[in-house]
Amino acid sequence: LNSGKYPLEQRIEDKKRGIGRQKYPVVVWALTVSMIAVFIYELVVNAKAQGTPVSFHPVVNPMLGPSESALIRVGARFPPCMKTVQDVPVTLQLPCLNDTANPPDRLCTIEELCGRGGFHGHTPNQWWRFITPIFLHAGFVHIALNMLAQLTAAAEIEREMGSGGFFILYFAAGIFGNVLGGNFSLVGVPSVGASGAIFGTIAVTWVDLFTHWRILYRPGRRLALMSVELIIGIAIGYIPCGPHAYSLLQLAHIGGFVMGLLVGTTFFPVISTSRRHKLIVWGFRLAAIPLAIILYVLLIRNFYTSDPYAACSGCRYLSCLPLATNNHCKG
């Protein structure tokens, strides 16, 4: 138990003082700079198409950002660009990037909005839309909230676990959030944001709490505060974050949190003060790895080979407010 770079007593003392594996959260800084640059690109795309960086016509984006069509073009998670969706074929027409009329008077097919040269009669397969939404944001409000959480909570996790494990955690959680959302969110609504990845880093704080319960100062109080924070985070998931008032990211949050628990259990550095504790931790780690792989395989397979709604008809309500404008979450 005293093996490692320094004695157990010193590791415990450093843990209590909040000293992690590294001083600077370099991955968080790099991700933040990249996301800000990508957001500027989104605004430029919208400005070239509509004349203004923020979309006000034909629909006002409540997050103060690009239009829905622009988000699809730059890489939002949008199932009709990723597979054949019977209710939303690639020939269906939506407002073009440069449309500002209400009702729309400039229509483009989904194939045209998906970009990248179209599909040329083949099945849509822009699989990379599970990844690119992590770097995209729906508007100034959206990116401000996410970057605040990323530069505080996520940065602290990177300092604790190191850049290598954090990198794997961040993208595993972010991509899985999009996989889960792609399965059960509305197929006709684009989705963007790093929220799933950030929720994955927040999940690691729960791993930290329960594995170091006897080391941390006043863990019961910390549990209460973290519970309140999680409830607030879930509530924020019901705030519209796209051009439509019913576009929500709750499933991405849930998916990111679940995968964050599994990957965090595997990679977060745990201080074991007894052999029994160490065996329990490794038992959870050995279970977490195959479970994470199984979840990925099952949900990706379900996305491409079956009707996800048939597996969980009520899941759509986790990311949708039932309104007449979206046929009560049937769209």
Side-chain angles (χ1 to χ4, degrees):
L1 295 176
N2 284 295
S3 62
K5 295 182 179 179
Y6 47 87
L8 176 62
E9 294 77 10
Q10 184 62 49
R11 294 176 64 195
I12 294 175
E13 181 62 27
D14 288 346
K15 178 67 181 178
K16 291 179 178 179
R17 295 170 58 190
I19 300 175
R21 285 188 169 182
Q22 64 188 55
K23 187 175 181 180
Y24 300 111
V26 291
V27 172
V28 164
W29 291 349
L31 287 169
T32 302
V33 171
S34 300
M35 290 173 184
I36 292 174
V38 171
F39 182 63
I40 293 173
Y41 170 70
E42 293 177 46
L43 298 177
V44 170
V45 169
N46 201 81
K48 286 183 177 180
Q50 294 191 347
T52 58
V54 176
S55 177
F56 296 106
H57 304 286
V59 179
V60 176
N61 182 339
M63 292 289 108
L64 302 178
S67 68
E68 182 180 87
S69 297
L71 292 175
I72 295 173
R73 173 59 60 85
V74 298
R77 188 192 76 223
F78 190 55
C81 296
M82 305 168 72
K83 65 173 184 176
T84 299
V85 179
Q86 292 184 352
D87 295 334
V88 192
V90 293
T91 54
L92 182 69
Q93 292 187 324
L94 297 176
C96 295
L97 269 72
N98 61 351
D99 179 74
T100 57
N102 194 2
D105 57 3
R106 299 175 183 175
L107 299 176
C108 295
T109 64
I110 287 180
E111 182 172 3
E112 292 172 323
L113 291 178
C114 293
R116 305 300 184 270
F119 308 117
H120 306 290
H122 299 292
T123 300
N125 188 28
Q126 295 183 350
W127 56 267
W128 42 266
R129 289 179 182 268
F130 282 133
I131 305 171
T132 52
I134 298 173
F135 293 89
L136 302 171
H137 288 85
F140 283 98
V141 177
H142 191 198
I143 193 170
L145 291 173
N146 273 359
M147 293 307 97
L148 176 62
Q150 185 160 283
L151 289 170
T152 52
E156 183 59 33
I157 294 301
E158 184 183 353
R159 292 189 187 98
E160 288 264 358
M161 66 188 302
S163 295
F166 177 84
F167 183 88
I168 296 172
L169 162 73
Y170 191 92
F171 282 98
I175 294 171
F176 187 75
N178 283 320
V179 170
L180 184 65
N183 270 271
F184 302 117
S185 297
L186 295 184
V187 294
V189 179
S191 179
V192 295
S195 305
I198 294 171
F199 261 73
T201 65
I202 293 174
V204 177
T205 62
W206 288 79
V207 176
D208 181 24
L209 175 65
F210 289 115
T211 55
H212 297 124
W213 186 270
R214 295 186 177 183
I215 295 176
L216 297 173
Y217 176 70
R218 301 181 71 175
R221 180 182 179 186
R222 180 174 293 198
L223 174 62
L225 291 174
M226 287 170 53
S227 299
V228 172
E229 291 173 354
L230 183 61
I231 292 171
I232 292 174
I234 292 174
I236 290 176
Y238 285 101
I239 297 176
C241 55
H244 285 104
Y246 51 82
S247 175
L248 309 171
L249 294 174
Q250 197 62 274
L251 282 170
H253 294 173
I254 294 172
F257 190 86
V258 169
M259 189 54 57
L261 288 175
L262 297 175
V263 178
T265 298
T266 304
F267 289 102
F268 190 76
V270 176
I271 302 172
S272 294
T273 57
S274 68
R275 191 167 301 278
R276 179 175 177 271
H277 183 272
K278 190 173 185 178
L279 289 173
I280 292 173
V281 169
W282 274 102
F284 275 104
R285 284 175 171 170
L286 293 175
I289 296 172
L291 181 56
I293 295 173
I294 290 171
L295 286 174
Y296 255 108
V297 171
L298 288 179
L299 284 175
I300 290 176
R301 181 180 180 277
N302 192 59
F303 178 80
Y304 282 111
T305 63
S306 63
D307 178 13
Y309 287 164
C312 182
S313 60
C315 287
R316 68 186 72 187
Y317 297 108
L318 290 174
S319 62
C320 171
L321 297 177
L323 303 170
T325 52
N326 61 18
N327 193 24
H328 299 284
C329 298
K330 300 280 193 273

